[in-house]
Amino acid sequence: MSVATESTEKTFASLNPATGEVVAEHPVHDGADVAAAIDRAREASRWWGELGWRERRLRLLNIKGSLARNLNRMAEIIHQETGKPVADAQLETIMAISHLDWAARNAQKVLGPRTVFPGMIAINQKCTLEYQPLGVVGVIGPWNYPIFTPIGSIAYALAAGNAVVFKPSEFTPGVGTYLAELVAGVVPEHPVLQVVTGYGATGAALASSPHIGKLAFTGSAPTARKVMAACAENLTPIVAECGGKDACIVDGDADLDAAADAALWGAMSNAGQTCIGVERVYVVDRAYDAFLGKLTEKARELRPGFDREAAYGPITMPGQLDIIERHIKDALDKGGKAVVGGPESVRKPYVEPVVLTDVPDDSAAVCEETFGPTITVHRVASLDEAVEKANRTSYGLAGTIFSGSKSRAMEAARAMRSGMTSINAFAAFAQVAALPFGGVGESGFGRIHGADGLREFARPKAITRQRFATMNLTSFGRSEKEMARVLGLINMLHAKRYKR
């Protein structure tokens, strides 16, 4: 079942998940519409790429400025289409603005031409490395963070010199449409960002096009496999971010008030509909009881709703309610305890906070992504055991560690199988535009954000230019004397024995 339901053959309605009211009507773009958008983007990409670094930087900074001036309007659309609190929608937009700013200001430094030392064998060569645009980048975005997540691909792809065709989720098409309007207001010459709206078939048409240079996808792992299969037909590379089952680790000497506050926000904010949200907590034995007491006390104070006093909003996808309820019941059936809430907490379209303890490691609530305001809390003997259990998952997106020891925390962070780990704070990396974002395993591959995110949307180009003639070893005319000189040089440079 979809919140965005088809109203006619040509259009569909996006609905407010809290009230069921129609937010707006949007076109269902078919394969021909997508192809036409890509054709326009191909022309736009040539113009955009030829503008040069300074001109693109100026336009991107003005796009950032336009989004900042219209922040409240964007947040209201997010609020209406997802149901999340206005303040959370504003925070999401603020983070999107910071990424636009970073991508604009750093693109030339990261991707601009630079000289590379050729080494002694090729000392007569002038070596240049530069990064060229891919042309058209396709972006398929999610509904849970409909501006922040796709901007991590859109901003960086534009900064790298590409044009973008963006397919927002059918649950949040208005966010994508409004973003494209803002971009067109700053860059009226060519459609460097276009939006196509619709259901899965619209996204499939984008993924299967032979005329896109790369696809950035955010969604579930099963859908990612289908998208990858479509891209494989044309050997189109893909960046995939596919969710997670992230863990928070609490050491025995951690600041328990801060840890409980962070775990609660990580688990419950956005109604738990966060790919990097906290779904499992592993607490070292001597801190377990105190931590659980603080967490449950805070959790009982939270209330979902659509009003401004609500802590979080509704479940955006109605079908997710069944998954959340199944996970809670499975945990209890296998011996777990609900210390806050329970199956009765699922009250369509809302889910009240649920805190589960003594949940077996093989239960769905521990193994599968729940994507709801639930959390499982586990007692462990040591930090090492916590890391080992945190890594018992096919996912590997992010993680959180609270500890009073810098060295232990850093060691655990490095050992955690994840693309990002935050120490003594929840998801601080997401606020740092210079850091890459992405996962391993079932959580996907490739990176957005930071220098890695810029390089993700460009192709490296190596150029050598011979500055003066010397021994030509790649010629049938090379002499034995020349080979002897080269062999002597190699022996001098590389044949020595190395000692500790």
Side-chain angles (χ1 to χ4, degrees):
M1 182 178 178
S2 172
V3 172
T5 55
E6 190 171 358
S7 58
T8 71
E9 187 179 21
K10 298 290 185 180
T11 67
F12 69 100
S14 63
L15 306 183
N16 182 318
T19 66
E21 296 174 342
V22 174
V23 178
E25 294 277 342
H26 296 272
V28 176
H29 289 120
D30 60 18
D33 296 322
V34 174
I38 293 172
D39 283 342
R40 291 190 294 270
R42 293 173 72 187
E43 181 178 351
S45 70
R46 287 188 285 270
W47 170 81
W48 183 246
E50 290 172 358
L51 275 182
W53 299 108
R54 293 182 64 183
E55 288 298 319
R56 285 198 299 271
R57 178 182 184 274
L58 177 63
R59 285 165 170 79
L60 286 168
L61 289 175
N62 281 324
I63 291 170
K64 176 204 70 170
S66 180
L67 181 57
R69 290 189 297 274
N70 293 280
L71 188 154
N72 288 331
R73 172 61 180 147
M74 177 62 81
E76 181 60 27
I77 297 173
I78 295 171
H79 171 60
Q80 291 293 327
E81 291 194 324
T82 68
K84 71 173 62 178
V86 171
D88 288 358
Q90 290 171 328
L91 177 60
E92 177 184 345
T93 309
I94 289 169
M95 292 170 67
I97 289 168
S98 70
H99 280 276
L100 261 168
D101 182 74
W102 195 93
R105 294 183 187 279
N106 289 275
Q108 183 174 8
K109 180 171 66 176
V110 174
L111 303 177
R114 64 178 184 267
T115 299
V116 177
F117 179 65
M120 293 301 296
I121 300 300
I123 196 65
N124 65 324
Q125 300 292 331
K126 171 76 172 181
C127 301
T128 302
L129 173 63
E130 62 183 46
Y131 291 84
Q132 298 181 344
L134 301 173
V136 179
V137 170
V139 177
I140 298 178
W143 51 264
N144 58 335
Y145 291 92
I147 181 68
F148 170 69
T149 298
I151 209 73
S153 299
I154 294 169
Y156 292 79
L158 289 173
N162 306 283
V164 176
V165 178
F166 173 36
K167 193 276 179 189
S169 167
E170 60 267 30
F171 295 95
T172 54
V175 176
T177 299
Y178 187 55
L179 178 62
E181 290 176 7
L182 294 179
V183 173
V186 174
V187 189
E189 299 95 332
H190 287 274
V192 294
L193 172 64
Q194 296 175 79
V195 167
V196 291
T197 56
Y199 300 102
T202 305
L206 182 61
S208 61
S209 171
H211 300 302
I212 59 171
K214 195 162 203 172
L215 187 82
F217 168 82
T218 303
S220 70
T223 303
R225 290 182 174 88
K226 295 177 182 178
V227 172
M228 288 177 66
C231 289
E233 292 295 321
N234 298 298
L235 291 180
T236 302
I238 177 174
V239 182
E241 195 260 273
C242 309
K245 189 69 179 176
D246 290 355
C248 173
I249 292 173
V250 182
D251 201 359
D253 62 351
D255 180 336
L256 299 186
D257 286 312
D261 183 73
L264 190 69
W265 172 266
M268 308 295 170
S269 64
N270 202 32
Q273 300 167 121
T274 303
C275 58
I276 55 173
V278 174
E279 297 205 2
R280 302 171 292 148
V281 184
Y282 296 98
V283 188
V284 173
D285 181 71
R286 66 187 174 100
Y288 179 87
D289 292 330
F291 171 84
L292 184 62
K294 294 177 183 294
L295 179 70
T296 55
E297 181 182 1
K298 292 174 180 289
R300 292 189 182 102
E301 297 174 354
L302 300 184
R303 178 183 61 81
F306 193 61
D307 56 281
R308 287 190 174 269
E309 286 71 39
Y312 57 84
I315 301 302
T316 306
M317 291 178 62
Q320 197 66 28
L321 290 161
D322 294 334
I323 295 173
I324 296 167
E325 187 174 25
R326 174 174 63 82
H327 284 195
I328 296 169
K329 289 181 177 179
D330 179 67
L332 299 179
D333 289 344
K334 291 182 176 178
K337 299 174 184 176
V339 294
V340 176
E344 70 280 1
S345 299
V346 181
R347 300 177 182 178
K348 183 180 180 180
Y350 299 101
V351 177
E352 295 173 349
V354 178
V355 179
L356 302 166
T357 62
D358 300 326
V359 181
D361 291 340
D362 62 349
S363 69
V366 177
C367 298
E368 301 174 18
E369 187 174 32
T370 305
F371 230 54
T374 72
I375 191 170
T376 63
V377 185
H378 309 262
R379 188 192 300 265
V380 293
S382 66
L383 193 61
D384 288 341
E385 183 184 356
V387 172
E388 190 273 327
K389 288 198 169 186
N391 288 343
R392 284 186 194 172
T393 175
S394 58
Y395 292 104
L397 190 54
T400 309
I401 296 171
F402 274 83
S403 176
S405 168
K406 175 183 174 181
S407 60
R408 283 204 311 275
M410 287 297 294
E411 184 179 356
R414 292 187 177 106
M416 184 176 273
R417 183 177 177 269
S418 63
M420 303 83 63
T421 302
S422 187
I423 297 173
N424 292 339
F426 170 72
F429 48 79
Q431 303 173 43
V432 182
L435 288 174
F437 185 105
V440 298
E442 289 282 314
S443 292
F445 50 85
R447 294 294 182 267
I448 58 175
H449 303 175
D452 293 273
L454 285 168
R455 295 188 190 100
E456 196 76 58
F457 298 106
R459 62 169 64 90
K461 175 79 174 190
I463 301 173
T464 59
R465 177 178 60 82
Q466 183 169 293
R467 298 182 298 150
F468 54 87
T470 183
M471 296 180 294
N472 189 356
L473 302 178
T474 56
S475 168
F476 289 111
R478 72 186 177 208
S479 66
E480 292 184 5
K481 183 178 180 181
E482 287 175 328
M483 280 303 300
R485 288 172 60 191
V486 170
L487 290 171
L489 180 60
I490 292 297
N491 186 69
M492 179 183 69
L493 293 175
H494 303 296
K496 64 182 179 181
R497 289 181 172 85
Y498 296 87
K499 298 179 182 179
R500 286 186 177 86

